[in-house]
Every structure is written in C-alpha cells, then in structure tokens.
Amino acid sequence: MLVTLAATASPGTLDDATDLGFLLHKHPDRAQVFDLPVGRAHVFYPEATEERCEVALLLEVDPVGIVHNKRFGGGDAFALAQYVNDRPYAASSMVAVALGKVFATAMAGRCDARPDLPDVELPLDVHVPSLPCRGGTDLARRLFEPLGWHVTATAEPLDPTVPAWGASRYVDLRLHGTRRLADALAQLYVLLPVLDDAKHYWVSTDEVDKLVRAGGGWLADHPERAQILRRYLAHQRRYVEDATARLAALDGAAPADVAEPDGGGSLDGATSPEADAPEPPLARQRADAVLGVLHEVGARTVVDLGCGEGALLRRLAADRTFTRVLGTDVSARELERAAARLRLHDASDAERERVRLLQSSLTYTDDRVTGFDAAVLMEVVEHVDPSRLDALAQAVLGHARPRVVVVTTPNAEYNVHYPNLLDGPGGSRVRHPDHRFEWTRAELRAWADAAADRYGYAVEHRDVGPLAPDVGAPTQMVVLTLDGAAPLGGTAATGSGTHDGGEAR
C-alpha cells in the first residue's frame, strides 16, 4: 500500500519545500519505520529539494498477523478470504490507520519547531496508485472535489491483456490543491475507507470520536455527508446517529441538517420537517419510549430480543429497577461486542447473574427466554424474512409468552421525507441494507392485531418521534399485553410517545 504527498515551494507559502519535514515531524534525510497493529509503515522522501518535497507512506501489511488480531482479523481465522485478499496491495482503511498513527501530530495541526507552519495553505499533490473504490471514479470526484481538490481518477483495467473485461474496482487517484496539511491528512484519513466501503476492523464508539475530530471542520457541509457517515461507520445506525448529533452540535445545526441517514442507510437521526427546534436523535427517543413503557407496566425482568451490540441493554443494565436482564442475538460477534460494551468481563458475579447474554434465534422456540415480565423487539422485525414472521410470533407470543411485548419498527410512510434511501426488496425504498421490508402503519396494525388475536394479547399502537402531517412519525410502536394476566405492579399505560388511537383494544 502506497500513498505519496508532495509540497511545492511558492511565494506566500513555503520558501523551502523541505519545510514539509517540520510539519510531518519526519526528517527528509532519514527513512523511518513504525510498527503498527496492521503491519509495518515506512516513511521516506523520494524527493527533497528546495523547490519540491515528496513524502511516501509505504505500508507492509502482515496478513497472518491481522487474522490473529481480534480487532482486525475478525472471528473466522479459517476463512480463505482472511488470507487471500487485496490487503497487501490496495490503499484501504488500513492505510487510514497508518496515516492516523504515523502523522498524528501533523493531523492535529501542531508544529512546535515552526508554530507558524500549520496554518499555511500549501500547494499539495497527493497520489494513491491503487485505491479500492466502490462507486468508481465518479464517487472519488464527488467526495474530493467539493473540498477544493482537483481530482484525476483513472479506473484500472481488470486485466491489461484482456481489454474486453473492462475496468476493475480499483482507481489511480491523484489530487491537487492548496490547503493546510492538517486538513489534507484529515480528509484522506476519513475518505480513503469511505471509498473502499469495507473497514477491515471492528467499528465502535471510538470511531465516532475519530470521525468527529477529523471531519469537524468540513464534513457537516459536505454534499455527500450522508454516504460518508454510513460508509465510514460501517453502516452501523447507532453510531451514525451519534456522529450526526455531534457534528450538528459543532456546527450549530439540527441533526437533520447534518446527515439524513443513520447507520446502515437508515435516516433515524432526522427531525420533523416542521420542527423549529432540534430533536434528540431518534435512537434516543426510541429507547426512551421503550423504557417508558417498561416502567409504566412495572416490569422487573426484561429480555431484549435481537439485542445487537447492546445499545438498549446498556440502559437496562444501568437501571436498578430491572432485577434480571437478558439480551439475545443470533450473532456471536454482536454478543461479544455487547459484552464489551456492558463491561461484563469486569463485572461482579452478582452483576453477571443479573445481566446475561445468550445466543438465540428469534424464529425458534427457546425455553431460556420464558418467564420474563417483558420482551422487547426494538428495530428487529424488519430484519426478519416475511415468510418467517409467523414463526417469530409463535416463538415470542406463543412460547415465551411474556406478559408485555414491546415492538418498534420504521414507519414506511414517513420515508417520503428521506431523499437518499436505499433500494429494497420489490423496488421499495428502505433505511437499512438488511431490512427485508418496512411496514406502513396499516400493515403493522394488521400484523400486530392478527398476532394478538391468535395468542391472546391486547394491543396498543403508538408513535415515536416527531409527527408529520398525513404520514405519522418515523418510528411506530406496538405494546402487546397478555389478556387476563395480573398487573405487574405499574400504573396503567398512558403512553410515553404519541398515541394514534388512544385506547388499547
């Protein structure tokens, strides 16, 4: 993997192009080597004259070491793709890791030896000879040109000896522009993995911090900000919502004015089209509404079905009202992340007994999820194939039979307010690439009412988030209560969100 950056001396900028070495904190007369989690990074200067100074970052990836690294290699060390891939040859997200580590001080805009230099805008040339680009040369231009770069992107042939095979997904990228070195490095740090759209390591809340630091000065106004947030944060809705809100706070704008999608193509960070004041991120409103229902009904034991990385579990665990909390997910990797998020490995024996994680499928009966006061399916049902929804209802309402079930799911009618949705099944437009469907309010009502009738539950419909005329709220909720069950000890449900009909049937 190779990236080069060159500065040219010109009046008003650099009298001596080798001053680039001061900014980078790397002497032009020495080659340096840095050991990184992904391999070894070499920094050297192919050219260093008063007129022009070019620095090269060469990353030697250690494929076997990456496979054995839990953060970078993933869980399946025996998969052939872990060993046979383009990592050693193409400038992917691992180059961004190297840039952030090797040039951290330059990216922060500090130079103690020459404190005047970081604010100087330099004539810069950047060259990335082999860059994976999911979106082709057009996407490269759309990402860099709004930032003031002159972009030359050339698609590499799939096989130079067989022109008929056409272009590969790799481009030769050249950028030319005049800007601060810190800004140029920050933009490369963010946009290289965006072009690749395949981060080679786990994405966590730390990545939100890094994105806000690197993109705080330019990302909020970028016309492709929605796609940048989605791709940089590996399509993780909860992290995109967090980044959206934090960028909005930096820019003084409402979250909806910063980025439409939340993680993975969802647009849950948006506010009502008629809202005059910023709304909290929809993810927070949704979790607040779910917790509100659980407190209303007096639940003490709760199972979070399809808990993912544990966003809701963290709030359930922090609330001592709940004496037993169980999170289930079909993905072992998601459960590992949830355990890390909840710090279960460092928790006391009593806390690990109170808060537990379990690998389980939503569509199969499981005795281990029975006996709870309440079950939550928050943004889960839309990830299930429609043909398996009857099995889900049987497993949850028919077998587990908690006294209260809380379900939230996107409202497809509200999608008219989201201009950048993804293509979904059957030509529909959806908020997340893994959504198998998104229901209208009538479709959710029909499914919930039928399931409630079949398994002996009463059902109440609510809205979550800002209401828009004619289409309702971005998230819809149903609360199903087992007919004839004794009260759990809470007050009658009056609604933490907005009711669409008032009374439960």
Side-chain angles (χ1 to χ4, degrees):
M1 299 182 183
L2 179 68
V3 176
T4 65
L5 184 149
T8 305
S10 62
T13 58
L14 294 178
D15 296 326
D16 186 338
T18 59
D19 285 348
L20 181 65
F22 284 105
L23 282 168
L24 294 172
H25 294 257
K26 307 291 182 289
H27 199 287
D29 293 337
R30 289 197 300 126
Q32 299 183 48
V33 181
F34 302 86
D35 289 321
L36 303 175
V38 295
R40 305 186 78 192
H42 302 261
V43 177
F44 55 95
Y45 289 77
E47 181 180 358
T49 66
E50 291 186 2
E51 293 75 27
R52 188 175 187 273
C53 186
E54 181 181 38
V55 64
L57 172 65
L58 175 66
L59 179 61
E60 286 186 297
V61 171
D62 178 7
V64 176
I66 288 174
V67 173
H68 294 146
N69 186 307
K70 290 183 178 180
R71 175 168 171 79
F72 293 92
D76 189 0
F78 297 99
L80 183 61
Q82 291 282 22
Y83 298 91
V84 183
N85 51 57
D86 64 0
R87 292 176 184 174
Y89 316 108
S92 63
S93 57
M94 294 182 184
V95 167
V97 172
L99 283 170
K101 295 289 187 181
V102 174
F103 298 136
T105 306
M107 194 180 301
R110 298 200 312 270
C111 181
D112 294 337
R114 294 281 303 275
D116 57 312
L117 281 181
D119 291 328
V120 176
E121 293 193 342
L122 313 175
L124 297 175
D125 292 286
V126 178
H127 185 204
V128 188
S130 181
L131 174 64
C133 189
R134 299 177 189 272
T137 57
D138 179 64
L139 178 60
R141 286 189 287 270
R142 297 203 319 266
L143 292 185
F144 284 102
E145 285 180 349
L147 299 172
W149 291 101
H150 174 75
V151 180
T152 303
T154 306
E156 298 288 354
L158 194 60
D159 188 332
T161 66
V162 189
W165 286 0
S168 70
R169 69 184 185 93
Y170 301 92
V171 301
D172 182 299
L173 179 68
R174 295 178 182 271
L175 307 174
H176 175 74
T178 300
R179 63 205 352 86
R180 296 171 63 244
L181 178 65
D183 295 336
L185 292 172
Q187 289 160 11
L188 290 171
Y189 178 80
V190 171
L191 296 181
L192 290 183
V194 168
L195 287 166
D196 187 13
D197 195 21
K199 278 208 166 186
H200 297 106
Y201 52 88
W202 287 0
V203 172
S204 66
T205 53
D206 292 343
E207 294 303 303
V208 178
D209 297 334
K210 295 173 187 176
L211 177 61
V212 171
R213 283 198 300 268
W218 54 272
L219 182 52
D221 295 326
H222 198 292
E224 295 291 331
R225 61 183 178 264
Q227 185 162 208
I228 292 170
L229 289 172
R230 281 201 307 272
R231 289 188 170 203
Y232 184 88
L233 295 169
H235 301 272
Q236 297 294 307
R237 180 180 61 224
R238 59 185 67 85
Y239 298 143
V240 178
E241 286 179 340
D242 187 12
T244 297
R246 291 174 61 180
L247 285 169
L250 289 175
D251 195 49
D257 295 330
V258 177
E260 292 80 11
D262 62 9
S266 170
L267 296 124
D268 287 353
T271 60
S272 166
E274 297 183 356
D276 294 323
E279 294 277 351
L282 185 57
R284 188 181 309 156
Q285 296 183 57
R286 186 187 303 124
D288 288 345
V290 169
L291 289 167
V293 171
L294 297 177
H295 284 294
E296 288 169 14
V297 302
R300 295 295 179 265
T301 60
V302 181
V303 55
D304 183 4
L305 300 170
C307 65
E309 293 188 359
L312 179 63
L313 280 177
R314 186 168 61 176
R315 296 189 60 176
L316 291 171
D319 190 335
R320 307 309 293 187
T321 300
F322 304 113
T323 59
R324 184 159 64 110
V325 176
L326 175 65
T328 75
D329 203 277
V330 72
S331 169
R333 178 175 291 187
E334 291 292 279
L335 292 174
E336 289 174 3
R337 295 175 178 175
R341 191 170 195 171
L342 295 167
R343 302 182 184 275
L344 290 183
H345 299 302
D346 301 324
S348 66
D349 291 342
E351 186 65 8
R352 285 200 298 270
E353 183 62 27
R354 173 178 167 263
V355 181
R356 303 181 66 185
L357 300 175
L358 173 68
Q359 188 172 16
S360 181
S361 171
L362 289 168
T363 57
Y364 292 92
T365 59
D366 189 337
D367 292 340
R368 298 172 297 176
V369 300
T370 61
F372 286 84
D373 293 340
V376 176
L377 294 96
M378 189 172 77
E379 307 300 286
V380 170
V381 294
E382 63 273 10
H383 294 271
V384 177
D385 287 325
S387 63
R388 301 293 293 162
L389 288 173
D390 286 346
L392 180 149
Q394 164 59 25
V396 177
L397 303 177
H399 183 77
R401 292 191 73 74
R403 281 185 277 183
V404 176
V405 178
V406 184
V407 180
T408 73
T409 190
N411 171 17
E413 295 168 78
Y414 198 89
N415 289 349
V416 297
H417 295 296
Y418 299 138
N420 297 320
L421 289 176
L422 306 170
D423 292 328
S428 62
R429 305 288 283 174
V430 295
R431 305 184 195 180
H432 189 283
D434 189 53
H435 284 187
R436 311 307 167 86
F437 62 87
E438 288 181 4
W439 274 324
T440 64
R441 289 172 293 174
E443 289 169 335
L444 174 61
R445 183 181 293 274
W447 175 82
D449 290 355
D453 284 337
R454 183 179 308 155
Y455 296 106
Y457 281 79
V459 61
E460 178 185 8
H461 298 267
R462 304 186 182 188
D463 294 317
V464 179
L467 289 168
D470 302 324
V471 298
T475 293
Q476 46 187 337
M477 172 190 284
V478 290
V479 181
L480 299 107
T481 305
L482 189 61
D483 281 336
L488 291 171
T491 59
T494 57
S496 59
T498 304
H499 292 245
D500 65 357
E503 297 179 358
R505 88 172 159 75

